Every structure is written in C-alpha cells, then in structure tokens.
Amino acid sequence: ILNVLMTCLFLVLICADYVLFLQAGLVTGRKGRMILNFFEKASQMDVPKEFNSLLEKQVNSQEWESIYKWCAIGLAIGIVLLLCAAIAMRKNFRILVALLKEASNTMREMPSLLLTPFILSCSMVGVSIVLLWVALTISTARAADVPNALEAWRSHVYPALDGLGLHQDPLQQMRQSALVFNLFVFLFSYYMHVGMCISITAMCVSHWYFYRDDPDRNAGTGVHSDGWFFGRPVLLALLRICRHHVGSIVFGSCIMAVATFLRIIFEYIAQKTKDVQETNPLVRMIFCLCRCSLWCLEKVLQFITEYAYVYVAVTGKPFCSAARSSFVFFAKYPVQTALDKMASTALGCLLCITVPTGLAVAAYFCGLKDAWPVCAVVILGLAYVTTRL
C-alpha cells in the first residue's frame, strides 16, 4: 500500500509539473492529450472536461509565463530531490511498514487497548467537572465562608504581594491565586492522563512483543495467553505503572504543565499590552519572538516526554534517564524517528477526522434523529478527545 501511495504521489507531482511547463509555453501538450485519449479508450470512461482545459494554455503575458516557468523548474527539482530521498530511505520505509503491521497485530491480540483512550477520556471529563465545581466555588466564595484561610492570607501572603506593588483586596487576591492554581491542576491532570495512555500502551505492546512466546511470562500478552480475559493486558499494565512508574509520569506531566502554563501567562501579558504592541513595532516583534520560542519549547518538551514515557514503560528507567536515552535514540536514528513521527501524525489526523464523523453519522441512523444536532456535538467532542489521546 505504501508503494502504491508513493507512486500516486509522484504521478500527481509529475502531472502538476507538466501542466506548469505547458502554461509556461515550454511544451505543447500533445503528449498529454495522447495519454488522456489512450486512457479514455482503454478504460471506456469519459475524461472530465476540466482535465482537457488543463492541457490548454491559459496565459499569454510574458510575466505569467516566467512565473510558471520558474515554478515548474522548482517543482521539477523538488520531485528529483524527493525521489532521491525516497530511494535513500527505502530501508526506513520497510521498517515503517513492518512497524505498522506489528501495530495491527497488537490490536488484534489486545483489543482492550482500543478502549483505553475512551476510559481515560471519561476520567478526564470527571476530573474536569470536579475542577469546574471547585472554580465556581472559589469564584463565589465570600469572606465569611473562608475566615481562617483569609486570615492566613492576610498574615503571610498579602504583605509580600503588597511589597511587590500588587495593591488589591486580600479576598480578591486569594480568589485569583486559587483560580490560577486550579488552572494549573487542570493542565497537570490532562498531561497526567496523556502520560498514562502512552505508558499503558507502551507497556502492553512491549510485554506482548517480548513475552508472547514465553509460557511462564506471557500473562496478559494477548488472546492466546493463559487466563486471558478482555481488559487483562491493560489492567496488568496499569498495575505495573502504578507500582513502579507513577513518579516518572508525574514528573513528565509537571514539566508539560509548566511549559503550557508559561504560554498561558505570556498570552495574558500579551493581551494586557495589546495597545503598546500596536504602537511600537519593536515590542510587537519581541512578543512574536517570545511566542514562537515558547511554542517551540512546548513542542520539543512534548516530543521528548512522549518518547521518555515509552522508555520508562519498556526499560523501567526513571524519567531523566529515559529522556537521555530518547536523545541518544534521536541522534542514532534521526531518519527513522522522523518517518515514524510523520506516519503517526498522519494517521492521528486521519483518525481524528474519520472516527468522530463516523460516530456522528452512525448516531443519526441509530434513532437519534430528533435530538441529533445536540448529540452530534457531544459525540464529536468526546470522540475527538478520545482519538486525540
């Protein structure tokens, strides 16, 4: 399938380049019409008129011909470079295909892995509801409701903030600080669930891969293992993680929460200084650079953390050692890492589109036609979050 997709990609690029050369006036389009006529006769299908219009020159000015010419030359060079890269990385592509086959075998042997993101999403929804209730409680709290906390705040925290120039009502200060902390807890909870999902999946897959043929240690490796029942691989992986690796996941989640929290604080400052940015181009440029730097920092930490979770689950190393091993792996196999990440991103995007849409359409034909719009919104949101994990 991968070879077919690569062939189709090159054919589309070559056809687009041919059209660009035609519009630039460097080819006549006669061979293109011959190929279309041959395809029409061989398949006995009518070729759409749009394809014939592409083989007709649409511009007459020299300026546009020059633009098309350089675009065609640039695309031709890109096709050659892409072909050379594909030939050079053919071994990596074979490894990628083998990994995808093993992934499909894993899903057949341990179908409960498909429910893990859904269960964690439900858990995250429950945590979000609790944190929302806490936020509402904090926002509506009065001085009479929290006399001891307010007194402690006035005695220990308020003088320090007042010394920094933050002159504000103590109750309002305490309320805002509690809401900020509540937001940080939400971010930490989200990344904790993401880390648990990655770690459970990695532990299930690694245990299945290494011990599926070992009769003494194949418990929970798949449907053919002794004592198997639905959900056993996930339960065993969860127990091992809770016993040995919770600290590593907490540490990684805290790092990601801090990185995301810094971006939120920066966006808050940027919103408050919007007038200054509009009048001063230098300040606006500095804010753009800081925004880009914080975004890159978050993405780099996320990339390293995800691989560190896998190393933690597979090798049992602590988080810092696993992150170091991830760096070594990236340096040793950069091409394979890039291909794996590209494939997982492409498959993830495809699933994030097809799964929620398919479930929403299925809900329409399952007797929910009257309340379908509301149900579709809920299904799309929950399915997207589940698939995104």
Side-chain angles (χ1 to χ4, degrees), residues 224-243:
H224 300 294
S225 61
D226 295 335
W228 181 88
F229 58 87
F230 185 81
R232 188 182 184 188
V234 175
L235 290 175
L236 291 177
L238 180 61
L239 291 175
R240 294 190 187 102
I241 289 171
C242 292
R243 183 179 179 182

Side-chain angles (χ1 to χ4, degrees), residues 230-305:
F230 185 81
R232 188 182 184 188
V234 175
L235 290 175
L236 291 177
L238 180 61
L239 291 175
R240 294 190 187 102
I241 289 171
C242 292
R243 183 179 179 182
H244 301 290
H245 307 305
V246 171
S248 297
I249 300 176
V250 169
F251 189 72
S253 303
C254 188
I255 291 175
M256 289 305 306
V258 170
T260 306
F261 194 67
L262 289 176
R263 289 190 64 194
I264 294 175
I265 294 175
F266 174 80
E267 293 299 333
Y268 176 79
I269 297 173
Q271 186 65 27
K272 291 297 182 180
T273 58
K274 192 174 182 180
D275 297 335
V276 179
Q277 297 179 49
E278 292 177 353
T279 57
N280 194 327
L282 179 61
V283 175
R284 187 166 62 250
M285 182 189 69
I286 293 174
F287 269 85
C288 290
L289 291 175
C290 292
R291 181 179 288 110
C292 181
S293 300
L294 288 174
W295 180 85
C296 292
L297 174 64
E298 183 187 22
K299 294 302 178 184
V300 169
L301 289 176
Q302 182 180 1
F303 185 73
I304 296 173
T305 302

Side-chain angles (χ1 to χ4, degrees), residues 76-213:
I77 295 174
I79 292 172
V80 173
L81 293 177
L82 185 61
L83 179 61
C84 294
I87 295 173
M89 295 187 298
R90 60 187 183 276
K91 180 179 178 181
N92 301 95
F93 279 114
R94 286 197 294 267
I95 295 175
L96 179 61
V97 172
L99 289 174
L100 293 176
K101 289 181 179 179
E102 289 296 327
S104 63
N105 293 333
T106 305
M107 291 297 104
R108 285 196 298 268
E109 290 288 330
M110 295 180 289
S112 56
L113 278 177
L114 297 174
L115 289 180
T116 304
F118 177 75
I119 296 172
L120 291 174
S121 297
C122 293
S123 174
M124 189 62 208
V125 169
V127 173
S128 301
I129 292 173
V130 173
L131 292 177
L132 179 61
W133 175 77
V134 172
L136 291 175
T137 304
I138 294 171
S139 301
T140 57
R142 297 172 298 178
D145 299 328
V146 287
N148 296 330
L150 185 59
E151 182 64 28
W153 185 273
R154 285 173 176 168
S155 302
H156 303 288
V157 182
Y158 180 75
L161 295 178
D162 188 64
L164 295 175
L166 300 176
H167 307 291
Q168 200 175 10
D169 178 62
L171 179 62
Q172 187 68 15
Q173 282 183 351
M174 187 175 68
R175 184 183 290 125
Q176 291 178 355
S177 301
L179 289 174
V180 170
F181 180 74
N182 194 63
L183 175 61
F184 181 82
V185 172
F186 172 78
L187 295 174
F188 173 79
S189 301
Y190 170 76
Y191 285 114
M192 188 72 182
H193 282 75
V194 173
M196 290 294 292
C197 184
I198 296 173
S199 300
I200 289 174
T201 304
M203 183 160 288
C204 288
V205 173
S206 62
H207 190 70
W208 169 82
Y209 185 81
F210 290 111
Y211 299 113
R212 55 185 169 179
D213 297 326

